[in-house]
Amino acid sequence: MRLNPGQQRAVEFVTGPCLVLAGAGSGKTRVITNKIAHLIRECGYQARHIAAVTFTNKASREMKERVAQTLGRKEARGLMISTFHTLGLEIIKREYKALGMKSTFSLFDDQDQLALLKELTKQWLEEDKTLLQQLISTISNWKNDLVDPQGAAGIAKSQRDQIFAHCYGLYDQHLKSCNVLDFDDLILLPTLLLQRNQEVRERWQQRIRYLLVDEYQDTNTSQYELVKLLVGARARFTVVGDDDQSIYSWRGARPQNLVLLKEDFPALEVVKLEQNYRSTQRILKSANILIANNPHVFEKRLFSELGQGSELKVLSANNEDHEAERVAGELIAHHFINKTQYKDYAILYRGNHQSRVFEKLLMQNRIPYRISGGTSFFSRPEIKDLLAYLRVLTNQEDDSAFLRIVNTPRREIGPATLQKLGEWANLRNKSLFNASFDMGLQQTLSGRGLEHLQRFTQWLNEIVQLTEREPVNAVRDLIRGIDYESWLFETSPSPKAAEMRMKNVNTLFQWMTEMLEGDELNEPMTLAQVVTRFTLRDMMERGESDEEQDQVQLMTLHASKGLEFPYVYLVGMEEGLLPHQSSIDENNIEEERRLAYVGITRAQKELTFTLCRERRQYGELVRPEPSRFLLELPQDDVVWEREKRVVSAEQRMKTGQTRVAGLRAMLENAKKG
Ligand SMILES: Nc1ncnc2c1ncn2[C@@H]1O[C@H](COP(=O)(O)OP(=O)(O)OP(=O)(O)O)[C@@H](O)[C@H]1O
Ligand SMILES: [Mg+2]
């Protein structure tokens, strides 16, 4: 692939600071990968002296792959391509002594952080989830702005902020004394260290002789400071970004950093790119017209030579289930007619909670899919627990499932008991479950261990018997019998989390019931068949490696940044969802518009929006208005599917499912043929 003159200039300018400021799909990321190769090939840089920072782990893996393809693995060895946080972690690992830490520090995730803060602030804050969340984000913002607890106390104006600053101090002390770091520390600590310690700073400036940063518009204050410290006075760096795609202000991102760059580095070479190589003209025009509603600091133009393309589509649905049915139906038909691959499709949404119904429909229709970021339903621990129980119910030979459930919830069946049971079963070629009934077990196992074990397996065996006759009742009895709900409340970080988990369990139960009962179109399944369907899905997720598989991609708009897909479904285009209600309330529509812009510009060939007439929100049924962003699009390029006659829910279910099932049958016949 040839670079255009603007890209070429950005790649070849290596003597000073360089900014590529350009719209979506104009080849900014491409400039970074080509420039790395150029630095090594033409400018005598060693790979280990070059660092590139990307926004997500996925993006950094892709970039490594691309560079290795251009250069060969050997030449690319030693390159540092990572996210800001991984780079920070690398610095901390090497400089832990200078930081006054032990080498055995550990990392805190959000859940740990929440639990600790709750504990620490007991006497200061009432138990209030919103307040606690505010505290977490305030501390995070302080850290991102390089403000320490004393500093925070100094700038805190309101009484609330003073209390927050005090809690920040307690939290900070606690982390230090336990040798623990949170997410924001991964940037904060290296930045402070490089600021204060000249020797360390010079060491890293020697190590990283050229720095490249992708998605620069989303750097926050501490990240920008880290960039400045790493490049030093030599200022050999290239950053690329697009102010219209700044979507992380809630994490302290400062798009103004683009403006600051020119002030901090007067010699800055600014390159603008104008050709979009990703999308059809209609998609690009729609994106441009939408984003023109935001005020602009930088003027940018973008054109595409990829032809006009087809019109953008808007589909409306009665409710969320119907929305997912429609997307699945369209997707199957499209895949069949156009002989595409599943990985050519992406379903993008504003919030993680929206993914659930899509997962269900895709799973039921055997369409392979993958959820990036956010946890997929089937990889949640509570779902894995329940699935393991179901596996034992349908197959008593399944030792690994048995081992997962034997002590979940806790039944005081210790490792020694299980080991002896294992040896016994092995010798006799029996499964653990079946062996547990052997009379002879008393020879090796005695006392409480055996008693607990047999009480459990005998009870489970009764459920197994019931399963053959009445699977739904059997599973219901099982969930009650193990008192899984209490177990969740005992082991979850908060009652809220426990409730969520129990809700997931109920959802799985409901899916199972539907599949067991079947409907006009889907034959009733046996429990064993249902379990196989669930397990396959679970395995697909576990087998998921970095290599690309042929799966439909599901992700939030935030996670989709930098990526591209031939066919995109942007779902939930409703006031309250996109723009999100909290942003409407806080008058922060511009950031939501940028988010919509990011979504639209992911699409290469076709783009479909969907919206619901009714949606369940926080337990209430609402009738949302279409998103204002849909109305801002150039209407000549958008087809609104005509309002259909309002049909009864029952009829709709029938027609929706008939269509999906009909298409599926078609597909399967085609595969056989
Ligand atoms: N000179 C070129 N000729 C042909 N195709 C190109 C050229 N430059 C980039 N592309 C292709 O255009 C697409 C978009 O490029 P890239 O992802 O680098 O854009 P970007 O500016 O980083 O987009 P985003 O703002 O979404 O991150 C990619 O498929 C890339 O391979
Ligand atoms: Mg990019």
Side-chain angles (χ1 to χ4, degrees), residues 314-446:
V314 182
L315 304 182
S316 36
N318 296 339
N319 54 36
E320 325 58 321
D321 292 321
H322 188 211
E323 181 184 36
E325 263 167 40
R326 297 215 58 181
V327 170
E330 291 270 327
L331 198 153
I332 294 174
H334 193 276
H335 167 77
F336 176 67
I337 295 166
N338 296 288
K339 305 210 168 12
T340 51
Q341 292 187 288
Y342 284 121
K343 65 168 188 244
D344 294 342
Y345 299 85
I347 301 177
L348 308 180
Y349 35 82
R350 174 69 174 83
N352 267 315
H353 63 279
Q354 287 169 263
S355 67
R356 178 64 49 85
V357 255
F358 291 96
E359 270 201 80
K360 177 183 171 192
L361 258 288
L362 294 174
M363 191 266 307
Q364 284 183 342
N365 287 290
R366 274 174 275 169
I367 304 175
Y369 66 86
R370 165 184 184 149
I371 299 211
S372 316
T375 326
S376 136
F377 185 69
F378 285 95
S379 49
R380 295 176 190 278
E382 64 276 16
I383 296 303
K384 286 179 177 280
D385 283 348
L386 187 57
L387 208 49
Y389 271 102
L390 297 181
R391 276 162 56 194
V392 176
L393 288 191
T394 54
N395 173 14
Q396 291 83 49
E397 304 285 317
D398 191 335
D399 282 348
S400 71
F402 181 79
L403 284 173
R404 179 169 181 115
I405 61 172
V406 67
N407 245 331
T408 313
R410 195 150 11 262
R411 305 190 173 88
E412 297 182 34
I413 302 171
T417 308
L418 290 174
Q419 194 185 342
K420 285 190 184 141
L421 174 67
E423 285 160 7
W424 177 275
N426 248 342
L427 278 176
R428 288 159 187 80
N429 207 9
K430 284 185 169 182
S431 71
L432 297 172
F433 178 81
N434 288 332
S436 73
F437 301 102
D438 286 0
M439 297 304 272
L441 259 186
Q442 278 161 347
Q443 295 163 20
T444 59
L445 276 173
S446 57

Side-chain angles (χ1 to χ4, degrees), residues 92-103:
I92 295 172
K93 271 191 197 152
R94 288 173 194 267
E95 307 292 348
Y96 66 92
K97 279 197 194 122
L99 280 161
M101 294 169 45
K102 285 189 244 132
S103 66

